[in-house]
Amino acid sequence: MVLLFCPLAAACLLPPLLLLGLTGVPLWLGYGVWALSACLYGLRPVQLALARLLWPVRRPAPAEQRRLDLVWSRVLGRADVSEQRFRIWVVDLADVNAHCVGRDLICVTTGALAELGDRELAGVLAHELGHHLRMHTSAAAFLVWVLLPLQAVALVGTGLALPVAALARRLSGYEFAPGPKHRALLALSRLETLLRGFFAAPGMLAFAVKNAASRRAEYQVDAYAVDLGFGAELLSALRWFEACAPAPAPQPLVPGPRRARHAAVRVPRPTHPPLERRMARIAARIAARAVVPGLFEAECGPPPSGGAYSRTLLP
């Protein structure tokens, strides 16, 4: 997708870079700075700075670290991945949420640590690990950076449409023949819609394709979690979300700055498939693989202090 949309993004950048060229800045330098700024996202300090900008992220407290180490080590052990390769930090939010940042950071909310049991937490972490191993998060973030010029073009369209909308409001306050007034207001309304739609179309098309790929990626990492042996745990977590999580507000097609939310929501977002469809696929894959229930307990031993590993919704 990056290769697909880079030419379109470069074309959107061409007019401002040509204007900048009048000041003596060569065209290649402008495109070079744009490409370099996108590549900077792969650096750990930049990823962490962006995470701290968007969420109240911090290192886990000692008690949180001990629990995360116990669960995470089981996930990494089955995946045969080094424990030094990825980092888990905590976000101080009551939302039950987990998400990936960059190429090696997984963020888990305090709400997830409080509400999810060890089994469900393991299933969610296996899902997030699949995103990292397939570079879904880093590629998607790089693509969003590449598509920033398209969003800038959409803002240009909004700027051009604002005077048209203002003229229509002013015209509606004048008293003259109803027929010509109606036709004038209709023409201005259509012109405003045309300006917004024409300039926003490239960005909407690009994000529609990106969101479709993101939905496919969710199925891929769900299958990865099942193949890793955490299908029942992930399914239990998704059932918990379905039963307990409040439905979120509808999300826009083109994303803006906002808190990330976990994939498990009852109302599908543009970047995620419907929850019931995900659960059906996971259940079918578990049945096909005949995964043995209780494998997590067999590896981890008996529950601590006579308690339970999780508040589970496993069948």
Side-chain angles (χ1 to χ4, degrees):
M1 287 191 298
V2 172
L3 295 177
L4 176 66
F5 288 114
C6 265
L8 182 58
C12 293
L13 269 178
L14 185 59
L17 290 182
L18 288 176
L19 291 176
L20 194 61
L22 298 177
T23 63
V25 177
L27 198 62
W28 64 266
L29 181 59
Y31 279 119
V33 171
W34 169 57
L36 180 61
S37 64
C39 293
L40 286 177
Y41 185 78
L43 301 178
R44 274 189 169 189
V46 176
Q47 296 168 14
L48 189 56
L50 289 176
R52 284 174 167 160
L53 179 65
L54 295 174
W55 307 284
V57 63
R58 59 172 173 82
R59 292 182 182 274
E64 296 168 336
Q65 188 69 64
R66 286 192 295 271
R67 185 188 177 201
L68 287 170
D69 285 344
L70 173 67
V71 177
W72 187 231
S73 63
R74 299 297 173 180
V75 176
L76 294 180
R78 292 195 200 171
D80 194 21
V81 174
S82 170
E83 294 189 11
Q84 283 72 43
R85 183 171 172 182
F86 298 104
R87 302 170 294 165
I88 300 183
W89 282 33
V90 174
V91 182
D92 288 314
L93 290 176
D95 296 344
V96 180
N97 185 4
H99 57 272
C100 299
V101 179
R103 58 186 175 87
D104 64 354
L105 180 61
I106 295 176
C107 295
V108 179
T109 64
T110 51
L113 293 175
E115 298 294 339
L116 294 181
D118 288 353
R119 287 197 296 186
E120 285 69 29
L121 186 59
V124 171
L125 291 179
H127 174 96
E128 301 302 333
L129 176 63
H131 277 306
H132 270 315
L133 293 180
R134 284 158 175 74
M135 298 184 66
H136 291 159
T137 306
S138 54
F142 183 82
L143 182 62
V144 169
W145 199 273
V146 168
L147 295 180
L148 283 178
L150 278 70
Q151 294 178 276
V153 168
L155 291 177
V156 171
T158 300
L160 293 176
L162 287 178
V164 178
L167 178 60
R169 288 193 300 269
R170 181 177 293 272
L171 187 62
S172 63
Y174 290 108
E175 295 293 337
F176 56 95
K181 181 178 181 179
H182 173 73
R183 288 192 293 271
L185 291 176
L186 182 61
L188 290 174
S189 175
R190 288 178 175 175
L191 178 59
E192 179 188 0
T193 302
L194 178 63
L195 286 172
R196 292 180 185 272
F198 177 77
F199 284 92
M204 293 182 67
L205 173 63
F207 276 98
V209 174
K210 174 186 173 295
N211 292 341
S214 297
R215 291 190 292 270
R216 182 170 176 267
E218 289 301 314
Y219 289 130
Q220 289 176 345
V221 294
D222 283 345
Y224 172 79
V226 174
D227 295 342
L228 206 59
F230 291 98
E233 289 79 6
L234 178 59
L235 183 59
S236 178
L238 296 184
R239 284 175 174 156
W240 187 94
F241 276 103
E242 183 184 44
C244 306
Q251 300 292 338
L253 175 66
V254 178
R258 64 177 187 274
R259 292 186 307 178
R261 293 185 178 273
H262 190 265
V265 292
R266 288 182 290 176
V267 177
R269 294 181 294 159
T271 56
H272 293 82
L275 182 57
E276 61 274 9
R277 193 174 302 170
R278 288 182 59 197
M279 291 192 297
R281 290 198 180 192
I282 293 172
R285 196 173 185 91
I286 292 173
R289 291 179 55 83
V291 175
V292 179
L295 184 58
F296 185 85
E297 292 88 338
E299 290 185 352
C300 292
S305 304
Y309 269 109
S310 62
R311 279 168 260 175
T312 183
L313 292 176
L314 285 167

